[in-house]
Amino acid sequence: MELSQENTPIKVKYKSKSKANKVQRFLIYLMLILLSVVFLTPFLWMIFTAFKPENEAMAFPPSILPKIWDWENFKEVFDIVPFATFYKNSLLVAGLGTLGTVVSSSLVAYGFARIKATGRGVWFALLMSTLMLPPQVTMIPVYVIWSKLGFVDTLVPLILPAFFGNSYYIFLLRQFFRTIPKEVEESAYLDGASTFQIYWKLILPMSRASIITVTLLSFMGFWNDFMTPLIYLQSMENYTLAIGVMQFQGALTVYWGPMMAASALMLLPLIVIFFTGQKYFVEGIATQGNKG
């Protein structure tokens, strides 16, 4: 009897703690659900507006769900502007730009992480200092350079700089490369592997999550880039989707239905790519910065 009396406070304390944890978990889930609704509302509004006729899209008070589901907006996207050309240009820029960014940034990051050289820390600090330099500072001189080279109104200024590395991605990959045990690299040297073979056949496969993370971030950056195409592109046949979608907005008229349909088509590759590589993306972000 005494034993049960001694255990009673412990049981009550355990039950109260368990109840508090359930309440806390409920509040957290409720907050996450509310935030999800807030963030999903613009996306759902865009999707539903893409299926509305023009008079319904401009109606006031607005309705969330379309009364008449109209697929003509997706057809008009290709009739009003050369949308297929915009899509092709964006795929070309994003694909080649991502390839150049991943290859060049991983090479530089491997050099900073693994190759011992005099002044390596100074050069890395200088590289990181470029992150504090606003792009507006170099916008005019860089434009003058491309203009002198005769590459204005081409896709070259949008693609070629990616093959010279990106400071932010170099930092991310360097941090991950430094978490790989040096014993793995030393054993490869003993087996006769060269530095490039170790980078290509050993380091990159072991850094798959980090490489996929950089690939996703880089692709989204090129795909959504608006400022660079706006500066360098002048002909409609060279437009990317970011500025091509703006062609649905005229000086006096805005084609809301086709614009929302074009925006939905523009988001489709990003959604597919993100959910395809979501596992590696989360893993790559979680493992960054483990070693300074």
Side-chain angles (χ1 to χ4, degrees):
M1 189 68 180
E2 294 180 357
L3 182 61
S4 62
Q5 291 178 351
E6 290 177 358
N7 290 339
T8 299
I10 299 176
K11 292 181 179 180
V12 172
K13 184 177 180 181
Y14 176 78
K15 289 182 179 179
S16 61
K17 185 176 180 181
S18 177
K19 186 177 181 180
N21 289 336
K22 290 181 179 179
V23 173
Q24 183 181 9
R25 188 180 302 174
F26 172 77
L27 293 176
I28 292 174
Y29 286 155
L30 179 62
M31 183 184 66
L32 291 175
I33 292 173
L34 293 176
L35 288 175
S36 299
V37 171
V38 171
F39 286 111
L40 282 175
T41 298
F43 175 76
L44 294 177
W45 183 271
M46 177 193 69
I47 297 297
F48 291 143
T49 305
F51 290 97
K52 292 179 181 179
E54 195 65 26
N55 59 344
E56 188 179 345
M58 297 292 295
F60 186 85
S63 60
I64 299 178
L65 293 174
K67 298 176 182 178
I68 301 175
W69 293 81
D70 186 8
W71 289 86
E72 286 298 317
N73 289 329
F74 290 90
K75 180 178 179 297
E76 291 179 5
V77 165
F78 297 90
D79 294 338
I80 299 175
V81 297
F83 193 76
T85 302
F86 300 162
Y87 227 96
K88 180 193 69 175
N89 293 337
S90 289
L91 287 174
L92 183 64
V93 171
L96 292 179
T98 301
L99 176 64
T101 299
V102 172
V103 172
S104 58
S105 298
S106 60
L107 272 171
V108 177
Y110 176 72
F112 279 124
R114 293 303 197 183
I115 300 177
K116 295 182 179 180
T118 305
R120 182 180 64 173
V122 176
W123 285 109
F124 183 72
L126 183 63
L127 176 69
M128 290 296 98
S129 66
T130 60
L131 292 174
M132 297 182 289
L133 190 66
Q136 292 81 2
V137 174
T138 59
M139 187 178 297
I140 294 177
V142 170
Y143 179 85
V144 172
I145 293 174
W146 288 118
S147 179
K148 295 292 185 181
L149 293 174
F151 288 126
V152 174
D153 198 23
T154 67
L155 299 179
V156 175
L158 281 64
I159 299 173
L160 190 59
F163 287 85
F164 294 93
N166 182 288
S167 301
Y168 178 66
Y169 299 138
I170 290 173
F171 171 75
L172 289 182
L173 292 173
R174 171 186 176 269
Q175 295 301 99
F176 188 87
F177 290 165
R178 295 187 66 182
T179 64
I180 299 175
K182 293 184 178 180
E183 291 77 9
V184 176
E185 190 176 357
E186 291 172 355
S187 62
Y189 274 121
L190 292 176
D191 290 337
S194 63
T195 302
F196 183 79
Q197 287 176 329
I198 293 174
Y199 156 77
W200 186 254
K201 296 184 179 181
L202 188 65
I203 299 297
L204 289 186
M206 294 179 66
S207 309
R208 182 174 60 176
S210 184
I211 295 295
I212 292 178
T213 301
V214 171
T215 301
L216 290 174
L217 293 175
S218 179
F219 186 90
M220 288 189 291
F222 282 105
W223 189 264
N224 295 322
D225 186 18
F226 177 79
M227 183 61 68
T228 308
L230 182 65
I231 293 174
Y232 291 103
L233 301 182
Q234 301 169 359
S235 304
M236 186 171 290
E237 61 268 16
N238 292 326
Y239 281 178
T240 59
L241 283 173
I243 56 176
V245 171
M246 298 302 296
Q247 304 308 308
F248 294 99
Q249 180 177 354
L252 301 175
T253 307
V254 179
Y255 301 96
W256 288 108
M259 178 182 283
M260 294 299 105
S263 300
L265 292 174
M266 180 178 175
L267 281 177
L268 186 60
L270 297 181
I271 295 174
V272 173
I273 290 174
F274 178 78
F275 282 104
T276 302
Q278 182 182 19
K279 173 185 174 182
Y280 301 104
F281 177 77
V282 174
E283 181 182 349
I285 291 295
T287 54
Q288 299 302 330
N290 289 336
K291 186 171 181 179

